C-alpha cells in the first residue's frame, strides 16, 4: 500500500515514485553542488548542467556537472573571472564576465576561453545558428548577433540599438 506521497522518499509525489534526494511537498529535491559562492546563470543540455559561480573579487568560474553525476567539472580557470550569464550550443559554452566586461566561449569539454566581444555584455541566448547578446553603455547599448560556429575576427551584426536587455529568449523567428 502507498503511504504519504508528500514526504516519503520511496513514494515522492506518487505511489512507487522514488526520490534519491529530499522529498518535501510531493517534490524531489536533489542537491547537485554546494558551497558555490554566488550563482548567476544556468543552462542545461541533454547531458550536463552548466552554471556560473561568481566568487568574491573575480574568483569565479564556469562549471558543469553531468546529469546524474557527482563530480563538478571546472571549464575555466577559477581566478580572474566573474561570470554571470551563460548559454550553450552543441559544442561550446558562452558566458559574460562582469569583472572585465567581456563575452567568452569555451568548448563544452573545457579549455582555453576565446574572447568574442567586449563592452559589458549582458543577456545571452543561442538560437537559429547565432549567439545573441545584449551590450550596455550609452554608445553600444543594444542587441547583437554572432554567427555560430564563431570564426576569429568575425564582426557582430547589430540588431537593435535600444536599451540593455537583462534576459532574452529566442524562437524560430524572433528574439524576446
Amino acid at each position: 500500500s502507498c503511504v504519504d506521497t508528500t514526504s516519503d522518499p520511496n513514494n515522492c509525489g506518487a505511489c512507487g515514485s522514488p526520490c534519491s534526494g529530499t522529498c518535501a511537498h510531493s517534490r524531489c529535491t536533489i542537491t547537485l553542488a554546494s558551497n558555490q559562492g554566488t550563482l548567476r546563470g544556468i543552462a542545461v543540455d541533454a547531458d550536463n548542467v552548466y552554471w556560473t559561480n561568481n566568487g568574491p573579487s573575480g574568483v569565479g568560474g564556469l562549471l558543469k556537472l553531468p546529469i546524474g553525476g557527482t563530480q563538478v567539472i571546472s571549464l575555466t580557470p577559477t581566478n580572474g573571472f566573474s561570470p554571470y550569464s551563460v548559454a550553450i550550443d552543441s559544442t561550446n559554452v558562452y558566458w559574460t564576465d562582469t569583472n572585465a566586461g567581456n563575452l567568452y566561449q569555451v568548448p563544452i569539454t573545457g579549455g582555453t576561453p576565446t574572447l568574442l566581444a567586449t563592452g559589458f555584455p549582458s543577456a545571452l541566448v543561442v538560437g537559429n545558428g547565432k549567439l545573441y547578446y545584449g551590450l550596455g553603455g550609452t554608445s553600444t547599448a543594444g542587441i547583437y548577433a554572432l554567427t555560430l560556429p564563431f570564426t576569429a575576427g568575425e564582426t557582430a551584426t547589430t540588431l537593435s540599438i535600444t536599451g540593455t536587455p537583462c534576459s532574452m529568449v529566442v524562437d524560430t523567428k524572433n528574439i524576446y
Side-chain angles (χ1 to χ4, degrees):
S1 70
C2 189
V3 294
D4 182 7
T5 60
T6 62
S7 61
D8 181 3
N10 295 313
N11 300 285
C12 191
C15 292
S17 179
C19 172
S20 60
T22 302
C23 182
H25 308 289
S26 299
R27 300 279 187 235
C28 183
T29 303
I30 300 170
T31 301
L32 298 176
S34 57
N35 301 320
Q36 290 297 301
T38 304
L39 304 178
R40 297 289 187 192
I42 188 168
V44 179
D45 64 18
D47 301 312
N48 300 287
V49 178
Y50 304 84
W51 69 94
T52 59
N53 178 0
N54 192 352
S57 302
V59 186
L62 177 64
L63 305 157
K64 78 174 182 178
L65 179 71
I67 294 175
T70 57
Q71 182 175 355
V72 174
I73 300 164
S74 179
L75 298 177
T76 62
T78 56
N79 57 359
F81 290 110
S82 291
Y84 199 88
S85 296
V86 63
I88 55 174
D89 64 18
S90 62
T91 57
N92 292 295
V93 183
Y94 308 92
W95 83 97
T96 61
D97 179 1
T98 59
N99 197 31
N102 296 326
L103 170 61
Y104 294 95
Q105 85 174 14
V106 67
I108 59 173
T109 55
T112 303
T114 300
L115 177 66
L116 301 181
T118 61
F120 293 93
S122 56
L124 301 175
V125 66
V126 172
N128 306 317
K130 298 192 182 297
L131 171 64
Y132 301 99
Y133 62 96
L135 276 185
T138 55
S139 64
T140 60
I143 299 173
Y144 296 80
L146 288 170
T147 301
L148 298 175
F150 176 76
T151 304
E154 177 184 347
T155 302
T157 302
T158 304
L159 302 178
S160 168
I161 54 170
T162 305
T164 304
C166 60
S167 182
M168 295 188 292
V169 294
V170 64
D171 63 19
T172 58
K173 295 181 181 180
N174 299 295
I175 301 169
Y176 303 92

